């Protein structure tokens, strides 16, 4: 008989605690080395394909921010989550699905078009709230479907800043796999440039970049929110997106 390490038993989740401690340690070191000890870098636990029991264990050990990729999956899991962590949506978001998450997430990191922003704004208005968002930048200018092109970012932010119930709080990037440091630095420069522009209603607080394989490098280039899946919960068994 094979032992299922995913059994609903807290002792089997010990590796998550070990991983989390290591990530915290590395983040502290990278901060001290590249930013300052007092700067804040948020550690997000990316939850795709991960069972709610494991997610709650991570929360019990100090994780305060979850990242959700898929609307369907999130809806099926959210009621089981410990409510002491905040949730950001980080996956590609179709306009017609905004309504399913607008009241549950505290921030949407994947805004990359005026159309999507307008729908978020409309629903936020209907629900009497201001929705915080990040602009997802396609920093590698890959032919991938999500993310606004680097050169179109400022224009998009200017347009979104006109909308009353949506607030741009920063940028999110998923640099191409195996990219060099230049992409991180390009993002950092864009972030600082937009911050210096002081666009009305826009605050450049969050630079979300860095995942399991490159979070320390991302911190070196100004990231203050790292999104960690594999390094925290282990390899995903199925879909990777
Ligand atoms: C899956 C995912 C991550 C985490 O990736 P890992 O390499 O497993 O840490 C981060 N950001 C986004 C947008 C993701 O989809």
């Amino acid at each position: 008989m094979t032992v299922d390490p995913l059994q609903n038993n807290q002792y089997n989740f010990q590796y998550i605690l070990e991983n989390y401690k290591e990530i915290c340690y590395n983040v502290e070191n990278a901060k001290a080395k590249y930013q300052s000890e007092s700067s804040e870098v948020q550690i997000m636990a990316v939850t795709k394909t991960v069972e709610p029991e494991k997610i709650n264990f991570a929360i019990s050990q100090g994780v305060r921010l979850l990242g959700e990729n898929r609307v369907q999956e999130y809806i099926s899991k959210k009621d089981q989550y410990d409510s002491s962590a905040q949730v950001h949506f980080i996956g590609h978001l179709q306009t017609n699905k905004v309504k399913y998450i607008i009241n549950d997430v505290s921030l949407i990191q994947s805004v990359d078009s005026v159309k999507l922003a307008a729908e978020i704004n409309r629903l936020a208005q209907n629900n009497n709230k201001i929705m915080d968002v990040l602009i997802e930048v396609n920093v590698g200018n890959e032919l991938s479907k999500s993310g606004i092109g680097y050169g179109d970012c400022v224009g998009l932010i200017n347009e979104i800043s006109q909308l009353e119930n949506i607030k741009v709080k920063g940028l999110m990037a998923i640099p191409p796999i195996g990219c060099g440091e230049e992409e991180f630095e390009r993002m950092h420069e864009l972030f600082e440039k937009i911050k210096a522009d002081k666009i009305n209603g826009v605050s450049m607080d969050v630079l979300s970049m860095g995942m399991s394989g490159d979070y320390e490098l991302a911190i070196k280039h100004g990231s203050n929110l790292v999104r960690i899946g594999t390094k925290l919960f282990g390899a995903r068994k199925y879909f990777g997106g």
Side-chain angles (χ1 to χ4, degrees):
M1 196 187 86
T2 49
V3 177
D4 181 3
L6 307 182
Q7 245 175 21
N8 191 2
N9 176 337
Q10 293 240 327
Y11 290 107
N12 293 328
F13 297 164
Q14 203 58 28
Y15 72 96
I16 296 174
L17 174 58
E18 296 306 319
N19 289 344
Y20 183 56
K21 281 201 237 164
E22 187 182 326
I23 294 161
C24 290
Y25 179 82
N26 291 339
V27 165
E28 284 305 311
N29 276 341
K31 257 174 42 178
K33 192 164 167 193
Y34 301 121
Q35 298 188 12
S36 80
E37 269 171 69
S38 60
S39 62
E40 281 202 37
V41 175
Q42 285 184 277
I43 298 172
M44 163 185 282
V46 176
T47 62
K48 59 187 177 239
T49 79
V50 179
E51 298 83 347
E53 293 78 17
K54 288 190 187 173
I55 296 164
N56 287 339
F57 177 76
I59 295 171
S60 76
Q61 301 307 314
V63 167
R64 283 294 164 266
L65 183 61
L66 307 179
E68 295 290 325
N69 278 79
R70 306 224 163 164
V71 172
Q72 212 62 40
E73 184 184 345
Y74 175 50
I75 290 172
S76 73
K77 285 155 68 177
K78 68 174 182 172
D79 291 340
Q80 298 168 68
Y81 289 173
D82 181 325
S83 61
S84 55
Q86 290 204 324
V87 177
H88 288 185
F89 195 80
I90 61 171
H92 181 66
L93 183 56
Q94 286 171 280
T95 308
N96 62 357
K97 298 219 168 123
V98 177
K99 57 178 176 284
Y100 299 118
I101 64 164
I102 190 86
N103 280 318
D104 293 300
V105 302
S106 63
L107 188 149
I108 298 171
Q109 294 203 358
S110 44
V111 173
D112 60 0
S113 70
V114 176
K115 182 170 170 248
L116 177 59
E119 177 64 358
I120 293 170
N121 184 63
R122 186 183 73 83
L123 288 168
Q125 209 155 24
N126 286 352
N127 288 282
N128 258 322
K129 66 190 289 183
I130 308 275
M131 192 71 215
D132 289 340
V133 303
L134 305 184
I135 304 304
E136 182 180 345
V137 181
N138 184 348
V139 63
N141 276 326
E142 294 169 290
L143 297 170
S144 86
K145 50 205 173 310
S146 55
I148 181 90
Y150 192 89
D152 299 325
C153 185
V154 174
L156 177 63
I157 291 178
N158 275 317
E159 284 196 63
I160 294 177
S161 71
Q162 308 295 315
L163 304 171
E164 278 182 11
N165 291 66
I166 183 169
K167 194 157 171 35
V168 176
K169 291 277 190 178
L171 305 179
M172 186 263 248
I174 311 177
I177 290 164
C179 78
E181 278 187 66
E182 319 86 69
E183 264 88 4
F184 284 123
E185 195 43 39
R186 261 160 64 83
M187 276 302 294
H188 192 201
E189 280 166 15
L190 182 64
F191 181 75
E192 293 298 338
K193 182 203 171 300
I194 297 170
K195 190 189 269 185
D197 283 351
K198 296 198 195 305
I199 301 166
N200 223 341
V202 171
S203 56
M204 281 286 124
D205 300 330
V206 181
L207 179 55
S208 168
M209 79 183 174
M211 314 201 287
S212 288
D214 54 19
Y215 63 98
E216 289 155 288
L217 199 61
I219 291 170
K220 178 177 174 187
H221 295 283
S223 169
N224 59 15
L225 192 161
V226 294
R227 308 181 307 264
I228 315 284
T230 317
K231 261 277 159 64
L232 181 63
F233 294 116
R236 285 182 284 277
K237 282 207 220 141
Y238 38 109
F239 74 74

